[in-house]
Amino acid sequence: MFFLFSVNFKGIIINNLFLLLVIYDKMIKGNGDVMEKKKVIVGMSGGVDSSVAAIKLLEEGYEVEGLFMRNWDSLVDGENDAPTTDLGICPQEVDYNDAVEVCKKLGIKLHRKDFVKEYWDYVFKYFLDELKNGRTPNPDIMCNKYIKFDMFRDEAIKLGADYIATGHYCRLEDGKFMKAKDLNKDQSYFLCQVSKEQFKNVLFPLGNMLKPDVRKIAEEYDLVTATKKDSTGICFIGERNFTKFLKNYLPNQEGDIIDIDTIKVIGKHIGLMNYTIGQRRGLNIGGYDDRMFVVGKDLSKNVLYICVGNEDWLYSTSCIVDNLNYLGDKPVEKCHAKFRYRQEDIDVRIKWINDTEIEVIYPQKVKSVTPGQACVLYDEDICLGGGLIKEVRKDGTKLWYI
């Protein structure tokens, strides 16, 4: 446990002796003068990662201020039965209160900005449109592209920022966007649509850290976020029931579940938007010993296709990827790819259709490649960017059931 006290140092209230000494050491030049500090606005989410990101920046001698983004309003956005805590407040306000406590402990200013309308227009509408089209969206990727590294950046510049920073686990080194040191926490997949221009003057303080070390630092500073559980699930849904949440915005249309091998109806689905390719749980079909998987959808007939035991229906050998955000210096013909988060890197060949559309080829076959999800390209630890899966193929032919 470090000593706690308050000192006004160059206009900033510092509450920690160790932190003050580290900052002073970083700022002293050879002639004993204090260097002018660069200002960083760090996205404070109310979680442990952004908390420690702020600490690391202070230790590096930056002038640090926090900015909390409010992206969702259950009342404005038409949500019924929104979750609340035992104190009767929504989880987002709990996060804000935690961010306030952390910034107070670190002696930094915290700003708050509503992006509720922008989030609806650029992220949530995309999410609903993709579901209506039978695809599986990834709103966190669009949140990074349009909110965190665009509108947040603009707001930070208004506040006088030289840099922006987040608690993401990834790295920027020598102009290259890279995976984090902690591969178990690496988040480069979710930043695949952030452009080279957007990455300018961005800092990722946790890129070379391991998660246990991050929590250890938070505990040493006695932060309220030190033992706080990491957020999971889609950002605006969190750990709520997906189907129940979706009913607020898309009406359920029940339809037939068809065994793709026999073309026989074996059950009823509760709305195609509630299912994704490769899904095994929640089908509510009994009487079968073999495992079942969702393999496709037919929107025109409102049919959900599943396989019973025969998983070959889930495999493909190539896909078309559009909306490509390419971060490499020159086009590649061979690299690695991920078609979903936490997937192992897969050897692929690239056929360039144009600057923003490619065919990704994997003759060894890959399971559950899903339209709407991101295909992210890598050269070892270097992220080459990514795009959205438009069409899935097997042996050069589009899969008719996806």
Side-chain angles (χ1 to χ4, degrees):
M1 183 76 64
F2 292 124
F3 245 167
L4 293 181
F5 73 110
S6 294
V7 172
N8 190 316
F9 181 71
K10 304 297 284 185
I12 300 175
I13 302 299
I14 303 297
N15 296 311
N16 188 293
L17 175 60
F18 175 78
L19 189 56
L20 177 64
L21 293 173
V22 170
I23 294 171
Y24 188 76
D25 179 67
K26 293 284 184 181
M27 293 170 57
I28 294 298
K29 295 190 291 186
N31 60 8
D33 295 331
V34 178
M35 299 170 60
E36 182 180 353
K37 294 180 291 182
K38 294 291 187 180
K39 185 173 183 178
V40 183
I41 300 294
V42 59
M44 298 297 292
S45 66
V48 66
D49 294 329
S50 60
S51 302
V52 174
I55 290 173
K56 299 299 289 183
L57 292 166
L58 286 167
E59 290 179 349
E60 288 297 317
Y62 291 104
E63 177 187 352
V64 179
E65 294 180 6
L67 176 57
F68 180 87
M69 293 174 284
R70 181 172 175 267
N71 295 333
W72 189 256
D73 187 315
S74 296
L75 295 176
V76 172
D77 294 331
E79 182 183 354
N80 297 315
D81 300 320
T84 59
T85 67
D86 293 339
L87 299 176
I89 61 176
C90 73
Q92 185 174 220
E93 289 305 305
V94 173
D95 291 337
Y96 174 67
N97 291 340
D98 288 344
V100 168
E101 288 301 311
V102 168
C103 289
K104 187 183 298 182
K105 176 76 64 97
L106 299 181
I108 64 175
K109 185 183 294 185
L110 178 65
H111 307 271
R112 174 171 170 148
K113 176 68 176 179
D114 277 12
F115 293 109
V116 173
K117 183 181 184 303
E118 294 85 351
Y119 192 91
W120 178 278
D121 290 342
Y122 290 93
V123 180
F124 196 64
K125 281 184 178 178
Y126 143 83
F127 171 75
L128 295 179
D129 287 344
E130 288 287 86
L131 289 175
K132 284 188 255 186
N133 289 325
R135 290 156 59 97
T136 301
N138 196 317
D140 291 340
I141 288 176
M142 294 304 161
C143 180
N144 286 322
K145 178 179 182 177
Y146 292 113
I147 308 297
K148 294 180 181 177
F149 292 89
D150 188 352
M151 296 170 192
F152 173 90
R153 180 194 187 95
D154 291 345
E155 186 65 21
I157 291 172
K158 292 178 185 177
L159 295 171
D162 297 296
Y163 301 96
I164 66 167
T166 71
H168 285 102
Y169 285 83
C170 47
R171 293 178 290 163
L172 281 168
E173 295 182 3
D174 299 323
K176 307 291 186 185
F177 180 51
M178 304 180 67
K179 295 178 183 178
K181 177 181 178 180
D182 190 337
L183 294 179
N184 186 53
K185 299 299 294 184
D186 174 59
Q187 293 172 299
S188 59
Y189 180 91
F190 295 108
L191 274 66
C192 68
Q193 284 280 299
V194 178
S195 69
K196 289 182 180 180
E197 183 65 27
Q198 289 173 299
F199 276 132
K200 288 182 179 178
N201 297 325
V202 172
L203 303 174
F204 294 117
L206 307 187
N208 285 301
M209 297 188 66
L210 301 178
K211 182 71 177 198
D213 295 331
V214 169
R215 288 209 178 272
K216 183 179 179 182
I217 290 174
E219 289 168 0
E220 289 172 344
Y221 279 84
D222 194 28
L223 299 184
V224 66
T225 56
T227 58
K228 188 174 181 178
K229 185 179 178 182
D230 289 338
S231 59
T232 59
I234 296 174
C235 47
F236 48 81
I237 298 177
E239 297 183 11
R240 283 178 279 172
N241 180 276
F242 179 82
T243 301
K244 185 177 180 181
F245 171 83
L246 213 53
K247 282 182 180 179
N248 291 290
Y249 308 98
L250 296 176
N252 283 346
Q253 287 184 289
E254 293 186 356
D256 292 334
I257 297 178
I258 291 181
D259 182 337
I260 198 167
D261 281 301
T262 64
I263 312 300
K264 290 182 178 179
V265 177
I266 60 173
K268 293 288 184 180
H269 66 74
I270 58 173
L272 293 177
M273 68 280 193
N274 294 297
Y275 305 88
T276 188
I277 306 304
Q279 180 176 332
R280 185 163 65 90
R281 295 183 176 85
L283 299 178
N284 297 319
I285 300 173
Y288 291 86
D289 294 329
D290 291 324
R291 297 196 303 176
M292 297 180 179
F293 295 90
V294 173
V295 297
K297 307 174 184 181
D298 187 330
L299 269 66
S300 64
K301 298 178 181 177
N302 194 26
V303 164
L304 184 71
Y305 290 107
I306 70 163
C307 66
V308 182
N310 182 11
E311 297 180 23
D312 188 57
W313 293 98
L314 289 168
Y315 286 89
S316 60
T317 57
S318 68
C319 64
I320 301 298
V321 174
D322 63 5
N323 292 287
L324 179 67
N325 172 52
Y326 192 66
L327 300 174
D329 295 327
K330 58 183 180 180
V332 296
E333 295 182 355
K334 292 183 179 181
C335 62
H336 300 113
K338 291 183 188 292
F339 299 104
R340 59 182 178 273
Y341 183 51
R342 293 196 180 281
Q343 186 178 44
E344 294 293 325
D345 286 3
I346 295 166
D347 291 332
V348 297
R349 290 187 291 111
I350 306 297
K351 180 180 178 181
W352 289 82
I353 299 171
N354 54 52
D355 288 344
T356 59
E357 190 168 353
I358 56 177
E359 182 178 7
V360 182
I361 303 165
Y362 37 94
Q364 71 274 38
K365 297 183 182 179
V366 175
K367 189 177 182 180
S368 302
V369 175
T370 305
Q373 284 286 281
C375 169
V376 184
L377 307 178
Y378 294 92
D379 178 6
E380 301 300 337
D381 284 347
I382 299 173
C383 180
L384 301 174
L388 303 181
I389 299 166
K390 174 183 177 182
E391 180 181 293
V392 183
R393 299 176 174 181
K394 191 172 185 178
D395 300 327
T397 302
K398 180 183 182 302
L399 295 180
W400 62 268
Y401 48 89
I402 294 182

